[in-house]
Amino acid sequence: MNRPGEEMYTLVERLYPLCRSITGDGVRATLDIVGEYIPLQVHEVPTGTQVLDWTVPQEWNIRDAYIADSTGHRVVDFAASSLHVLGYSVPVSRTMPLSELRGHLHTLPEHPNWVPYRTSYYKREWGFCLAQETLDAMPDGEYEVRIDSTIADGHLTYAEHVIPGQVPDEVIVSCHVCHPSLANDNLAGIAVATHLARALAEQTPYYTYRFIYAPGTIGAITWLARNAERVEQIKHGLVLACAGDPGQLTYKQSRRGDAEIDRVMRHVLAASERPHHVAEFTPYGYDERQFCSPGFNLGVGSLTRTPYAGYPEYHTSADDLDFVSPEAMADTLSVCREAFAVLDRNRRYVNLSPYGEPQLGRRGLYDALGGRSDTKQAQMAMLWVLNLSDGEHSLLDVAERSGLPFDTVADAAGALGAAGLIKA
């Protein structure tokens, strides 16, 4: 059994029915469930708080919503799917003809049995999302329209989970928690991030790892505004989204393009021989665009399978539990673990015996390799590490120049360091 994959899928199943938005009790309920897997520090930021060029909005909560025909039958029912209501809809309780109601209905004619996901965060509006075939079957006449919602002063909610490292320098992992019943975007990302955090907590990482669960855009902006003085500690970062669909992995590079996380992800994906795509940075997408905005310019990339808007099911009811799989999430998790293993061990060393080649045999370094099937490769790794340990080349530089596996190079560095031949 693919245990990590099955556990992530179970988490996605638990989160799927909840109605999430950029604020509200759905976000809190989501974080409560994630908090059963890893300890979270939850932050509540009041409505009206200035965060960079934005202001924390009023909080939206919804209890019920429906469109009922003249017999009382609910033609569209929020209880059946949280996608049925336009996000941030103001409260409504009216009876109106279909001709008037149509202006508040959203469908996907090209996919007549799918329900679209639509929002109106910053413009007071109300509406319903439904399948085109449902709309086509609605006869003219009067309909009862009810949205039992509130928009009032409250809070924006986000959470953090921190894994202390050997150094205070940080790697951030961010995922958005604002979308309602969309399994790939981004419940799969939440699940992968959570299980990545659990895996890292079983180790003693070099870096400190900070996991951020926040609403998209406004959540990341709020986090940055509240942590601006700590930004210098952030050395690397990864935004996780769309982590469970059947497509190949896609890594979107940071704005810098040559950040260490960019090099590590390119190396790991190429070395794994997985089908993948490396994309250039664009200022559109997920929250990498906030972390990579020019004032911060952090080394933060984005890992997805099929990118945003790159699959027909994106932001529709077809992004359901059947669209994601344990196997795809396990594969995404595996790549994250491989990448962070490289990132965590990638150092620059100085050769303490740089004049000529030091005698490895009398230090027991050759003997220590006896019987290994990769003895020759390990010996070459030692020679490469010694030769390039000039304080300017990292172990990833060594691996790429030598063509040797990074793990072999890192193991060689460990042995040389223990023998007193190099130091970080």
Side-chain angles (χ1 to χ4, degrees), residues 120-140:
S120 185
Y121 296 141
Y122 301 106
K123 179 183 178 183
R124 291 293 180 257
E125 184 59 271
W126 64 269
F128 288 85
C129 300
L130 65 160
Q132 181 66 44
E133 61 185 17
T134 300
L135 177 58
D136 291 343
M138 293 171 63
D140 288 334

Side-chain angles (χ1 to χ4, degrees), residues 263-286:
R263 294 190 58 206
V264 167
M265 290 301 304
R266 291 195 301 260
H267 175 81
V268 167
L269 287 168
S272 73
E273 299 184 346
R274 290 177 173 88
H276 69 277
H277 174 64
V278 175
E280 296 293 329
F281 175 81
T282 63
Y284 185 76
Y286 293 112

Side-chain angles (χ1 to χ4, degrees), residues 99-320:
S99 58
E100 181 182 351
L101 178 58
R102 282 183 181 273
H104 296 275
L105 302 182
H106 305 269
T107 66
L108 292 169
E110 66 275 23
H111 295 290
N113 62 336
W114 293 1
V115 177
Y117 164 55
R118 298 290 184 267
T119 64
S120 185
Y121 296 141
Y122 301 106
K123 179 183 178 183
R124 291 293 180 257
E125 184 59 271
W126 64 269
F128 288 85
C129 300
L130 65 160
Q132 181 66 44
E133 61 185 17
T134 300
L135 177 58
D136 291 343
M138 293 171 63
D140 288 334
E142 297 288 311
Y143 288 85
E144 180 189 0
V145 179
R146 179 165 172 76
I147 297 177
D148 182 12
S149 66
T150 54
I151 301 178
D153 287 355
H155 296 81
L156 178 146
T157 309
Y158 72 89
E160 297 175 290
H161 172 75
V162 178
I163 301 166
Q166 300 170 39
V167 297
D169 291 345
E170 291 188 2
V171 179
I172 60 171
V173 179
S174 172
C175 57
H176 60 276
V177 296
C178 52
H179 287 14
S181 298
L182 300 173
N184 196 43
D185 180 25
N186 186 36
L187 299 181
I190 294 170
V192 170
T194 301
H195 282 75
L196 177 60
R198 294 177 71 180
L200 289 169
E202 295 173 355
Q203 307 167 15
T204 306
Y206 177 73
Y207 289 110
T208 293
Y209 285 84
R210 183 177 300 272
F211 287 76
I212 303 168
Y213 297 84
T217 305
I218 186 63
I221 287 171
T222 299
W223 187 89
L224 284 164
R226 288 164 58 89
N227 292 271
E229 75 285 352
R230 298 180 50 260
V231 163
E232 290 301 317
Q233 289 180 233
I234 300 170
K235 304 305 179 184
H236 319 283
L238 192 64
V239 171
L240 282 173
C242 300
D245 68 82
Q248 68 178 13
L249 285 158
T250 297
Y251 176 69
K252 176 182 172 181
Q253 299 186 116
S254 71
R255 177 178 181 268
R256 300 178 190 175
D258 61 351
E260 190 170 342
I261 187 67
D262 299 327
R263 294 190 58 206
V264 167
M265 290 301 304
R266 291 195 301 260
H267 175 81
V268 167
L269 287 168
S272 73
E273 299 184 346
R274 290 177 173 88
H276 69 277
H277 174 64
V278 175
E280 296 293 329
F281 175 81
T282 63
Y284 185 76
Y286 293 112
D287 283 329
E288 69 280 354
R289 69 189 196 274
Q290 311 306 334
F291 298 114
C292 293
S293 55
F296 294 109
N297 197 26
L298 298 174
V300 176
S302 173
L303 183 66
T304 63
R305 301 195 72 83
T306 307
Y308 57 88
Y311 50 97
E313 297 85 355
Y314 179 77
H315 280 194
T316 77
S317 59
D319 184 355
D320 59 14

